[in-house]
Amino acid sequence: MLEMINAPGFWAAVLQIILIDVVLSGDNAVVIALACRNLPPQQRRLGILWGVSGAVTLRILLTFFAVGLLGFPGLKIAGGFLLLWIGIQLLLPDDDEQEITPADHLFGAVRTIILADLVMSLDNVVGVAAAAKDNVYLLIFGLAVSIPLIVGSSQLIMSLMGRFPWIVLGGAGLLGWVAGEMLVADTLWKAWLTATAPWANHLIPALGALLVISVGSWLARRSLVAARAGRSASEGAD
C-alpha cells in the first residue's frame, strides 16, 4: 500500500479524480436544492443527508462496475470516445432546464435526489473510472476525498465555476487528456503501441485535450451566435 502511495503517478491520478468529480458535479447541488425546497425546515437537512448518502453509495457502486468493465478489450476505446464527447458537452451552453419537482415529504425528496443523480452521473462514473486506471485503491481514495469536498462546498464550487470560466475549460481539457489515456491503454493495441510508437502515450492524450477544448469552444461560440440571431429575429417580429 505504501509503495502504491509513493508511486509517481498516484497523486496525479488522485488529483485527476478530484478535479473531474468537482467539475462534473456542479449540477447536483442544484438538484438537491430543488428537490428539498418544499420540505419543512427541520426536514431539509435530513432530506439532503439521506438523499446525498443514497446517491453517493449508488455512484460508488456504478463506478466500481465501470472500472471492472473497462478491463475488457475494446471498452476503453469506446469509453475514451464517450469521454471526449462528455468533455465537449461540458463546454456547451446549458439550454436544457432540469425538470425537478420539489417534494413535500422526506421520502419523496430523497427519492428525487437519488434518481436525478443516477441520471446525471454517467459522466462522473466514466471520468472517475478512467482516471483510476483500474486501481481500486486509487478509486476509493479519490472518491473518499472528492465526495465530502463536493457535498460540503458545492455552492462555493458552483460560484467559482461561474466567476472563473477557465475552471470549466481546464476540466474539459482534463477529460480530453484522460480520454486519450484510455484510448492508448486499451489491451487491443497497448503492447503494439508501446513497442512501435511509445510517443503515442503522451501525444494522444495531449491531442484529446486539444480536441475537446477547441471543438467545445467552437461549438459554444456557434451556439451563442445562433441564440443571439434567434432573439434578434424574435424581437424584430414583435
Side-chain angles (χ1 to χ4, degrees):
M1 185 69 177
L2 288 176
E3 292 180 1
M4 180 185 66
I5 292 176
N6 292 327
F10 179 83
W11 293 106
V14 168
L15 183 60
Q16 284 185 348
I17 291 174
I18 294 172
L19 290 176
I20 288 171
D21 225 2
V22 166
V23 170
L24 292 178
S25 294
D27 290 343
N28 295 69
V30 177
V31 170
I32 292 169
L34 289 173
C36 295
R37 72 177 186 267
N38 283 355
L39 290 179
Q42 64 272 20
Q43 289 188 357
R44 286 178 189 167
R45 185 171 297 179
L46 278 177
I48 292 172
L49 175 63
W50 289 108
V52 169
S53 298
V56 165
T57 301
L58 189 59
R59 187 185 301 185
I60 290 174
L61 292 174
L62 287 173
T63 307
F64 271 110
F65 182 67
V67 167
L69 281 180
L70 290 177
F72 289 94
L75 285 183
K76 281 189 177 178
I77 297 174
F81 283 113
L82 175 60
L83 207 53
L84 287 173
W85 179 82
I86 290 171
I88 291 171
Q89 292 296 309
L90 182 64
L91 296 178
L92 300 183
D94 188 7
D95 296 327
D96 299 326
E97 296 184 0
Q98 296 287 341
E99 292 293 334
I100 303 297
T101 303
D104 55 5
H105 59 283
L106 183 60
F107 175 77
V110 171
R111 180 186 59 195
T112 298
I113 292 171
I114 292 174
L115 290 178
D117 189 85
L118 175 62
V119 172
M120 296 165 60
S121 291
L122 176 62
D123 50 3
N124 299 71
V125 168
V126 174
V128 170
K133 299 179 176 64
D134 303 326
N135 190 322
V136 174
Y137 295 107
L138 180 59
L139 174 65
I140 293 172
F141 189 86
L143 288 175
V145 172
S146 60
I147 289 172
L149 176 65
I150 293 164
V151 172
S153 57
S154 55
Q155 295 299 326
L156 175 61
I157 291 168
M158 290 180 64
S159 175
L160 289 174
M161 289 169 65
R163 290 179 58 191
F164 304 106
W166 60 265
I167 296 177
V168 179
L169 190 67
L174 175 60
L175 288 174
W177 181 278
V178 174
E181 289 183 329
M182 288 182 72
L183 291 174
V184 297
D186 195 280
T187 54
L188 280 178
W189 53 36
K190 182 178 180 180
W192 178 81
L193 280 176
T194 302
T196 60
W199 45 265
N201 292 325
H202 302 288
L203 178 61
I204 293 180
L207 289 176
L210 181 63
L211 176 69
V212 166
I213 292 174
S214 57
V215 173
S217 299
W218 175 71
L219 289 175
R221 288 194 297 269
R222 183 179 173 186
S223 178
L224 288 174
V225 169
R228 288 171 185 164
R231 285 195 298 269
S232 298
S234 177
E235 291 171 359
D238 294 339

